Amino acid sequence: MIAELTKPRLAGVPAWPDGWTAAIVGCGSAGSRVARLLVDLGVPAAQLRGYDNRPVVASRWPAAVALTVDHDGHSLLKAMIGDVWFICTPVWVRPQYYAAAVHQARAIFAEKPLAKAVSAVESSVVEAEARGLVTQTGYCWRWHPAALAARAWLRRQQLSGLTAHAVCAVNMHGWPGSPHSYGDALLELSHELDTVRFCLGSGRVVAVAPGSLWSLLIAHETGATSTVDLRGEYQGYFRELTLMGNADRFEWSTSAFVDAGRFGDAGYPGSWSPDDMYRAELADFLRAAIDGQAVRCSWRDGLEIVRWCDQARTLRLASNT
C-alpha cells in the first residue's frame, strides 16, 4: 500500500483575532520559517514579533515582521509578550520559555523534542493543562499523508502481535544546534519515536540493545511492539519506517522527504516540501488556538517521547553497571 502524497488542504484557517499578538521565540531557520508561514496563513505581520539573543540572518527573516534581539537572555525574556507563543529555540533552552509562556499565553506551539529530560518540562505541561491552554508539539510527521495512511491502515489490523521497525541514519558529526552538538544523539530519534507512537499508541521502552548506538524496543499498550534504531553512518539525512503485521505488510520510506527538509524545498515529484508539512501543522494549531479544535500532537504527546528517551537512558545505565 502506497499513500498518495497529496498537498495539504488549508481551507478553514480562522481569521486572526483582533488585538491578539504572537511571539516567535528563536529566530533561526525554524523560527524564520514559522514567521513566514504564519503570514502566508493570514496572520497579520504587524501582530507578530520575533525574539532572539543571537544575530538573525536577515535573508531568512520576513522583513515585515518586527524583531527584538537582546544578548541579555533575562531582559529578553522579560520583553516577550504574546497571546500565542511559538518556541523554536534549541532544545536545551526551551524549558525556561515554557515556564514564562504558561503564565501569559493562550496557546503555545513548541518544536519537538520538548526537552532533554522529563524533569525539565513536566511541570510546565501540567501547569498548561491546569490553565486550559492549547499546546501543540510540532515538527513531526503526524500531518504527512503517508503517516496518516499508515495509522489508518494499522487501525484496521489486529494490533496485538504486530511489529514495527524504524531506522534513522544521520551524520554523527552533527551540525550547529543539533542533538549531536551537545552530546545527546538519542533525541535524534524523536521523529521515529513519535511516528510509531502515533501509529501504534502509548507504551514504554522495555529494552535497549547492548553495544548499539541506540536501539530501543517499545511495548505498546495496544499489544504491538516496535524497534527504533539510530545508526551513525552518514547517508545524507536518511530515515526509513517499515510497519509489518500479520500476513500483510506496509512500507513507508521517508528518506526523500527528509532529505528535501535538510537541503532545500524542491522535494521530489509528488512529494511534500518542508513548507507543506509546517504549513499543515501550523494551520491545525491556529484552528485549535482560535476556534478550539483538538490538536493532533499536544504537549502531553510530546512529553511521552521525552519519557521514552529517559527510560532508554536508564536502561542503558543499568546495563553498564
Side-chain angles (χ1 to χ4, degrees), residues 15-23 43-44 46-48 81-84 104 106:
W16 186 254
D18 291 340
W20 280 27
T21 59
V43 179
Q47 303 307 112
L48 296 171
I81 57 172
D83 297 277
V84 183
Q104 183 185 134
R106 304 168 187 260

Side-chain angles (χ1 to χ4, degrees), residues 4-21:
E4 181 183 359
L5 301 181
T6 57
K7 299 294 183 181
R9 295 189 297 272
L10 298 177
V13 176
W16 186 254
D18 291 340
W20 280 27
T21 59

Side-chain angles (χ1 to χ4, degrees), residues 233-294:
E233 67 268 26
Y234 179 71
Q235 297 183 24
Y237 201 79
F238 175 79
R239 286 181 146 91
E240 180 180 353
L241 179 65
T242 302
L243 300 173
M244 298 170 288
N246 304 329
D248 216 338
R249 181 181 173 96
F250 177 95
E251 292 188 7
W252 169 38
S253 174
T254 60
S255 58
F257 168 76
V258 178
D259 279 343
R262 285 290 164 188
F263 303 113
D265 291 341
Y268 61 101
S271 77
W272 276 29
S273 74
D275 273 9
D276 292 323
M277 179 70 76
Y278 297 138
R279 188 180 288 109
E281 66 180 7
L282 287 171
D284 263 11
F285 176 65
L286 292 178
R287 295 186 191 102
I290 299 169
D291 284 349
Q293 173 183 292

Side-chain angles (χ1 to χ4, degrees), residues 155-191:
R155 297 301 172 178
R156 297 192 295 268
Q157 312 302 311
Q158 176 64 43
L159 289 183
S160 180
L162 182 144
T163 62
H165 183 61
V167 174
C168 172
V170 297
N171 181 357
M172 294 308 295
H173 296 294
W175 53 89
S178 76
H180 310 314
S181 68
Y182 54 88
D184 204 342
L186 175 60
L187 295 180
E188 201 54 76
L189 284 176
S190 56
H191 272 303

